[in-house]
Amino acid sequence: LTTNGGLANVEVWAWSEEGGWVSDTTNINGEYSLAVSNGRWEIGFDLPIVEDGSEPPFLPSPPKRIRIRDGEELKPLNFNVRSAGAKVSGTVYGPSGAPVSNLDAWVYAREYSTAEDDGYTEVLAEVPLSSKGTFSFPSVAGQYLVGIWMPPGSSYGYPAEKVYSVEL
């Protein structure tokens, strides 16, 4: 696991629909080892929590999917994270104009595309809404669609996604 060198203390995990789960923590060089059996696996990682509770200053990579067959020699599976040069912060307001409180919701950011087909684009960040209605996530320069995922049965409607531009 690298970002211009190794990234230590990152939990790397592998999950299989056949019921397998294994994890390891990267060493000081960003190296890890997972013992997995034959089959299909999804392999990903969770960045360590920053001491002040904020999001790590990196943009993660999505999990990778692999299939392992008998006798197959595997190449190292590397992940790269990008350093975030900015932080997006905001507040979710309710109909009264005050910040919402204690709403079990998540704020997400996905790639903004100007293409005619507004299909699915990769989610680049997703963070829980704080008890005070605030959120923040690391970002890089670019344009994002920022939205909110609400819990089932919420008394709030889904607001439209907002286009947000980050310039460094």
Side-chain angles (χ1 to χ4, degrees), residues 40-116:
R40 295 177 190 264
W41 291 86
E42 184 169 290
I43 301 172
F45 63 93
D46 296 320
L47 293 167
I49 297 173
V50 179
E51 285 182 23
D52 67 3
S54 64
E55 288 297 308
F58 302 106
L59 293 177
S61 306
K64 296 181 180 184
R65 292 189 174 126
I66 64 169
R67 183 178 188 161
I68 300 172
R69 295 183 175 99
D70 277 334
E72 183 178 16
E73 182 156 337
L74 297 176
K75 295 184 251 179
L77 183 61
N78 297 319
F79 290 95
N80 291 307
V81 293
R82 294 184 296 174
S83 292
K87 181 187 231 182
V88 174
S89 299
T91 303
V92 175
Y93 295 95
S96 68
V100 296
S101 60
N102 297 319
L103 178 63
D104 182 24
W106 287 72
V107 173
Y108 65 88
R110 62 187 182 104
E111 295 175 281
Y112 177 68
S113 172
T114 57
E116 292 288 325

Side-chain angles (χ1 to χ4, degrees), residues 5-7 16 18 28 62 70 76 96 118 120 133 135 144 148 155 157-158 165 168:
L7 194 56
S16 172
E18 285 85 40
I28 196 157
D70 277 334
S96 68
D118 188 29
Y120 177 81
F135 64 90
Y144 304 93
I148 188 168
S155 59
Y158 280 91
S165 295
L168 300 179

